[in-house]
Amino acid sequence: MASSHVEKLSPSSVSAENPVECGSSVHDASSSSLETQASASPKKRPADENIRDEARRQGLGAPRCTFSAKYVPFSPFEDTEEEYSLDEIIYRSKTGALLDVQHDLEALKKYDATYWKNLFDSRVGKTSWPYGSGVWSKKEWVLPQIDNDDIVSLFEGNSNLFWAERFGKEMLQMNDLWVKQCGISHTGSFKDLGMTVLVSQVNRLRRMKKPLLGVGCASTGDTSAALSAYCAAAGIPAIVFLPANRISIAQLVQPIANGALVLSLDTDFDGCMRLIREVTAELPIYLANSLNSLRLEGQKTAAIEICQQFDWEVPDWVIVPGGNLGNIYAFFKGFHMCKELGLIDRIPRLVCAQAANANPLYLYYKAGWKNFKAIKASNTFASAIQIGDPVSIDRAVFALQNSDGIVEEATEEELMDACAQADLTGMFTCPHTGVALAALIKLRKNGVIRATDRAVVVSTAHGLKFTQSKIDYHSKAIADLPCKFANPPVQVANDFGAVMDVLRRELSLR
Ligand SMILES: Cc1ncc(COP(=O)(O)O)c(C=O)c1O
Ligand SMILES: N[C@@H](CCOP(=O)(O)O)C(=O)O
């Protein structure tokens, strides 16, 4: 927590809508309190005012922003003076290192842990702009300086924690197993969390008259869906590079429907990534992949949310499927920030789960973090993580090394069986969540994860985006896969007797 010389503000100085705030919607912390907010009579919004206008009006005459963030090189082991404003269009340091968004922690530490907990709790589930969003409810820790007026939000985040009661108990003898449903979201994946931040910043840059034609990404289907939706909501052109025939139909139709310029390229994701980097270096198109550290600021809020949902008790394990490897670092960053600011006392052990067909991180981990080699990723049902040359490899290693982390892998059979078994207990999992569940099963079987541990599996996308893999599995139509838990429909004639025969057989009736 903050050093003792800092005089901290107490929880009673928090306003439910806004604390000492940055951007347009600012209240003086000393002039309003949770209690006064609660007792105030309900205010009617004028007919010609929407929630954005209301937030703007409330912010008029606000004090200057007290929190700030900037880009610094991601070089945890070297001291460097290099830094950039978030208003610069830059993705790499002078030496070519990744960038990181660094917050002014000393300013944040002027407020104690109870203050932040109360503030975040007071915003959950509201419609006040933009704090009803799970991401923007943590605005001071995400993009403190952005004007609320520039924010492009679809009220993302606040995803539920599913208590995996039957799966935990029957499969793993665990009572405290949870699935963080990040895929139950506007575009059906966790990418919405990062995209609201990135597109908001682009909106700000465009208002500042920075020459940006649009925003572009390479994608295995989820980043492109999120980018297209947020850009469409803001009226900003989106350009997406997709590997032809390697993403699901449901994912492909999302950017098409949202009006993005869709380029279907005859290469894999890694090829698309190389091309978008070349194109964004050449044209004024802002890069929206997680190479851009702004994305991770939004994604890290899922970790903060998990702590909040457990009333700031830290789970023992958090298992995250990994592809381009931004998200595992985002989770680390969220937990680390909570610890730095005194909201939690430790960081959970992180597990990054990869498909065995696309496992460069797993191989690196097994080699004792020596000689990283990019690979050519093979086809996997977990198509969104079919990535052989992950951009955030250094970030992922840092996250794992600093959380006593583990890397696991799952074969196609293991991940598809894990999905089917989870679905049989009421979930509707995507194959990437299957990878994480399969990793959990392995770690539980070998005793690394204990029966009494509290574990959270991060579900990264909605199963409805990947129905073809489920159809293939339940039709037993996958070569070399026994599909042990398939539940194919029974074809029956339009005949009462035939129906009764099937019911007697299936329900073991006499
Ligand atoms: C559904 C899904 N799960 C997991 C991942 C992996 O996330 P990351 O690339 O941040 O490792 C991705 C994207 O890569 C994804 O789309
Ligand atoms: N699964 C991702 C792959 C790209 O990852 P990103 O986080 O770097 O954008 C996708 O859906 O495109």
Side-chain angles (χ1 to χ4, degrees):
M1 241 328 273
S3 51
S4 53
H5 70 272
V6 181
E7 196 189 329
K8 291 172 189 165
L9 292 190
S10 70
S12 63
S13 60
V14 185
S15 142
E17 280 175 4
N18 303 303
V20 172
E21 193 21 320
C22 309
S24 67
S25 202
V26 189
H27 282 187
D28 180 348
S30 58
S31 70
S32 59
S33 69
L34 279 174
E35 296 90 293
T36 52
Q37 286 284 326
S39 62
S41 57
K43 289 165 284 171
K44 266 261 181 259
R45 191 181 308 123
D48 59 350
E49 189 179 87
N50 62 30
I51 54 171
R52 204 190 276 271
D53 303 324
E54 182 181 63
R56 191 184 308 124
R57 177 170 50 78
Q58 288 174 343
L60 292 177
R64 218 173 52 81
C65 179
T66 46
F67 308 120
S68 64
K70 62 190 176 193
Y71 291 127
V72 296
F74 179 79
S75 52
F77 308 110
E78 284 166 39
D79 274 342
T80 162
E81 302 277 282
E82 197 180 334
E83 60 178 56
Y84 304 91
S85 153
L86 298 188
D87 292 334
E88 286 191 52
I89 299 172
I90 184 164
Y91 316 111
R92 292 262 186 195
S93 76
K94 283 182 194 142
T95 61
L98 295 163
L99 296 177
D100 202 27
V101 173
Q102 189 183 76
H103 289 264
D104 179 355
L105 283 183
E106 289 314 309
L108 293 169
K109 281 178 181 174
K110 288 189 180 140
Y111 300 85
D112 66 14
T114 314
Y115 172 91
W116 291 117
K117 289 178 189 177
N118 285 348
L119 179 69
F120 296 160
D121 285 349
S122 74
R123 290 168 170 172
V124 172
K126 303 283 168 53
T127 53
S128 52
W129 183 263
Y131 306 105
S133 150
V135 171
W136 297 107
S137 67
K138 321 276 183 307
K139 183 186 174 201
E140 298 75 10
W141 294 22
V142 173
L143 267 194
Q145 285 146 305
I146 196 165
D147 194 300
N148 285 347
D149 230 16
D150 287 335
I151 288 175
V152 182
S153 170
L154 306 176
F155 284 105
E156 50 291 307
N158 290 325
S159 63
N160 60 310
L161 260 180
F162 174 99
W163 179 36
E165 182 180 9
R166 270 191 69 207
F167 187 84
K169 199 172 191 169
E170 293 171 21
M171 291 276 307
L172 307 162
Q173 294 75 52
M174 293 178 82
N175 278 323
D176 214 357
L177 175 63
W178 301 80
V179 178
K180 177 68 173 161
Q181 297 280 29
C182 293
I184 301 185
S185 175
H186 187 70
T187 70
S189 89
F190 73 97
K191 305 285 179 175
D192 294 345
L193 303 175
M195 212 50 85
T196 181
V197 175
L198 184 133
V199 175
S200 297
Q201 180 64 12
V202 171
N203 206 27
R204 170 181 166 97
L205 295 175
R206 281 164 62 98
R207 287 210 204 185
M208 294 167 92
K209 304 281 178 244
K210 299 259 179 179
L212 280 176
L213 282 179
V215 194
C217 73
S219 184
T220 54
D222 292 322
T223 298
S224 43
L227 176 64
S228 307
Y230 281 83
C231 280
I236 298 172
I239 303 107
V240 305
F241 287 15
L242 303 176
N245 305 319
R246 285 180 168 90
I247 72 170
S248 75
I249 293 286
Q251 288 174 310
L252 174 61
V253 80
Q254 290 183 286
I256 292 174
N258 285 142
L261 173 60
V262 179
L263 270 61
S264 180
L265 293 156
D266 184 18
T267 178
D268 57 8
F269 170 79
D270 298 301
C272 291
M273 192 70 224
R274 277 190 291 276
L275 281 168
I276 194 75
R277 281 168 70 172
E278 287 175 38
V279 167
T280 51
E282 196 67 29
L283 296 176
I285 295 175
Y286 196 69
L287 180 64
N289 284 102
S290 58
L291 172 71
N292 187 325
S293 44
L294 283 177
R295 280 263 312 279
L296 306 182
E297 290 308 294
Q299 289 173 210
K300 82 181 179 196
T301 61
I304 307 170
E305 225 172 76
I306 289 173
C307 298
Q308 188 176 12
Q309 285 167 309
F310 286 131
D311 214 4
W312 307 101
E313 275 179 25
V314 186
D316 299 301
W317 298 92
V318 175
I319 306 172
V320 187
N324 221 11
L325 300 180
N327 210 27
I328 186 78
Y329 177 66
F331 269 88
F332 173 78
K333 210 173 172 192
F335 289 124
H336 187 253
M337 209 158 166
C338 284
K339 183 161 175 279
E340 283 287 295
L341 291 163
L343 282 72
I344 59 175
D345 57 4
R346 64 188 168 88
I347 289 175
R349 292 187 70 182
L350 297 181
V351 179
C352 190
Q354 292 212 294
N357 283 357
N359 62 354
L361 181 75
Y362 178 78
L363 296 177
Y364 193 25
Y365 171 74
K366 284 289 172 189
W369 302 124
K370 287 198 184 76
N371 301 326
F372 173 73
K373 286 194 199 75
I375 62 164
K376 176 95 187 147
S378 311
N379 283 349
T380 167
F381 282 106
S383 53
I385 53 175
Q386 191 179 322
I387 296 173
D389 191 6
V391 159
S392 288
I393 184 74
D394 295 342
R395 291 171 172 152
V397 173
F398 182 79
L400 291 160
Q401 287 180 340
N402 287 282
S403 62
D404 196 11
I406 291 178
V407 188
E408 234 338 319
E409 66 170 0
T411 64
E412 294 301 288
E413 183 174 348
E414 287 166 342
L415 75 91
M416 289 303 283
D417 281 350
C419 273
Q421 287 173 289
D423 290 359
L424 288 170
T425 65
M427 292 180 241
F428 197 72
T429 49
C430 75
H432 322 85
T433 308
V435 172
L437 289 167
L440 165 70
I441 294 169
K442 284 184 172 174
L443 293 169
R444 180 69 198 99
K445 279 195 179 143
N446 67 18
V448 173
I449 295 184
R450 292 168 305 176
T452 52
D453 286 350
R454 172 178 282 177
V456 178
V457 169
V458 177
S459 176
T460 45
H462 202 297
L464 284 171
K465 285 183 144 192
F466 299 91
T467 44
Q468 191 58 49
S469 65
K470 290 190 193 292
I471 292 168
D472 293 345
Y473 184 93
H474 289 288
S475 328
K476 291 194 172 244
I478 307 174
D480 303 325
L481 230 67
C483 305
K484 292 196 284 287
F485 306 98
N487 178 32
V490 184
Q491 302 294 329
V492 196
N494 178 15
D495 174 77
F496 178 74
V499 170
M500 288 300 284
D501 286 348
V502 171
L503 292 179
R504 283 198 188 95
R505 187 183 73 229
E506 295 295 322
L507 304 177
S508 307
L509 301 170
R510 293 194 189 178

